[in-house]
Amino acid sequence: MIKFFRKIRQNLLMENKTSKYFKYAIGEIFLVVIGILIALQVSNWNKQRIDTHSEQEVLIDLNTEIKSNIKELEIIIEEHKKSLDAGNEIMSMIMDSSKLKSISNDSLNSILIIMNYNYTYDPKLGILNSVINSGRINLIQNKEIRYKLSSINESIIDANESTQVIEKIRAEYYWPMIASKRAIIYNKKISSDTKESFQNPEFIWWVNFITAVRQEGLDEENELLKFLNNINDLIESEIKN
């Protein structure tokens, strides 16, 4: 094709058709430019098609991971609700000694165990971290999704603060100062002496502490659950069926 165009130019020059030569040369340049633009457009289209396919793969993988983490968080929230209810029930017994006297030892032991439930939310974030660290997060066109995905780790840290506080105080205060001295401990048969210890100021402080921090933690965990559901809804809206 190049030889063909060159031959035409040579013939025009040999015939002294200069004006036609320049017109032809301009036309040839125009065709070359058009060809380059078409090639670039095709290349861009192919890249866009590949990026769109890759984006869908990333969104589908993230959707699967986040849904799994949402289910795990829902389970933890339910367990922490039981812990809060148990703490409130213990407090009602502290306020009303007749309730404490009437409850069986086994039931009381169960309530104490439930009150001390303290599950830490530990989601699986392998896909999210891989997407962020590899830069594939930039394949996601929706800026709101990108921003919220980058904030997940920080939100999880905030939601786990209450459980970490409870664990720290339990290790430093509850076990050495209350449980060991007052026989309020897991899997130990509750006795009348144990019931009497419910009026101990240290134990009353512990129940007040754990219920207050647990309520705060549940508020944060529910905010995280709302946040994750919102991200998941946005991701699902971008997934093409």
Side-chain angles (χ1 to χ4, degrees):
M1 183 64 72
I2 295 175
K3 291 181 178 179
F4 173 75
F5 287 133
R6 185 184 296 129
K7 186 175 182 181
I8 293 175
R9 291 197 302 272
Q10 289 175 349
N11 289 336
L12 289 172
L13 286 173
M14 290 175 64
E15 295 174 3
N16 291 323
K17 295 179 179 179
T18 307
S19 61
K20 287 185 178 181
Y21 172 81
F22 282 117
K23 289 179 181 179
Y24 175 79
I26 292 171
E28 186 177 329
I29 292 171
F30 178 75
L31 288 174
V32 171
V33 171
I34 292 296
I36 293 172
L37 291 176
I38 291 174
L40 288 173
Q41 184 63 33
V42 170
S43 177
N44 289 336
W45 180 83
N46 282 331
K47 184 179 183 303
Q48 185 177 12
R49 179 175 59 82
I50 293 171
D51 287 348
T52 299
H53 178 72
S54 298
E55 179 193 24
Q56 288 296 301
E57 288 183 334
V58 168
L59 291 173
I60 290 170
D61 288 344
L62 287 169
N63 175 242
T64 300
E65 183 172 81
I66 291 174
K67 283 197 295 187
S68 175
N69 289 331
I70 286 173
K71 289 180 180 178
E72 181 182 348
L73 180 57
E74 288 173 340
I75 292 171
I76 287 177
I77 288 174
E78 286 303 311
E79 295 303 320
H80 285 170
K81 283 180 181 177
K82 293 176 184 177
S83 170
L84 178 61
D85 291 342
N88 288 329
E89 191 170 354
I90 292 292
M91 184 55 66
S92 72
M93 294 178 195
I94 292 172
M95 302 298 293
D96 185 354
S97 59
S98 63
K99 288 184 179 180
L100 184 61
K101 290 178 181 178
S102 63
I103 191 171
S104 69
N105 291 340
D106 289 341
S107 296
L108 184 56
N109 190 49
S110 295
I111 295 171
L112 284 168
I113 291 172
I114 293 171
M115 182 183 72
N116 282 283
Y117 282 173
N118 194 43
Y119 298 99
T120 299
Y121 181 50
D122 187 22
K124 305 298 184 293
L125 299 174
I127 293 173
L128 174 63
N129 291 332
S130 174
V131 167
I132 292 175
N133 294 334
S134 66
R136 288 187 298 155
I137 192 171
N138 294 318
L139 291 169
I140 300 173
Q141 297 300 305
N142 190 311
K143 292 182 179 179
E144 185 178 4
I145 293 177
R146 292 205 305 269
Y147 172 76
K148 290 188 174 183
L149 286 173
S150 300
S151 304
I152 285 181
N153 280 300
E154 182 179 348
S155 299
I156 291 169
I157 292 172
D158 291 341
N160 275 332
E161 282 182 355
S162 62
T163 57
Q164 291 170 351
V165 168
I166 289 173
E167 191 61 34
K168 182 175 184 295
I169 299 300
R170 182 162 61 184
E172 295 178 357
Y173 183 80
Y174 178 72
W175 291 121
M177 298 185 66
I178 301 175
S180 61
K181 295 179 181 179
R182 302 293 171 181
I184 303 171
I185 193 167
Y186 293 150
N187 301 321
K188 185 166 185 177
K189 189 172 179 61
I190 299 295
S191 65
S192 57
D193 291 338
T194 306
K195 288 186 176 182
E196 289 179 3
S197 70
F198 276 48
Q199 297 303 316
N200 182 274
E202 292 175 338
F203 180 70
I204 294 173
W205 178 90
W206 170 254
V207 177
N208 277 313
F209 165 79
I210 200 169
T211 51
V213 177
R214 180 65 71 215
Q215 182 61 67
E216 181 182 351
L218 277 167
D219 292 341
E220 292 170 344
E221 288 163 359
N222 279 300
E223 281 299 314
L224 175 60
L225 180 62
K226 181 179 177 181
F227 181 63
L228 292 178
N229 277 316
N230 177 250
I231 294 175
N232 200 50
D233 289 343
L234 287 171
I235 288 174
E236 288 183 343
S237 70
E238 296 291 333
I239 294 176
K240 298 175 182 178
N241 298 323

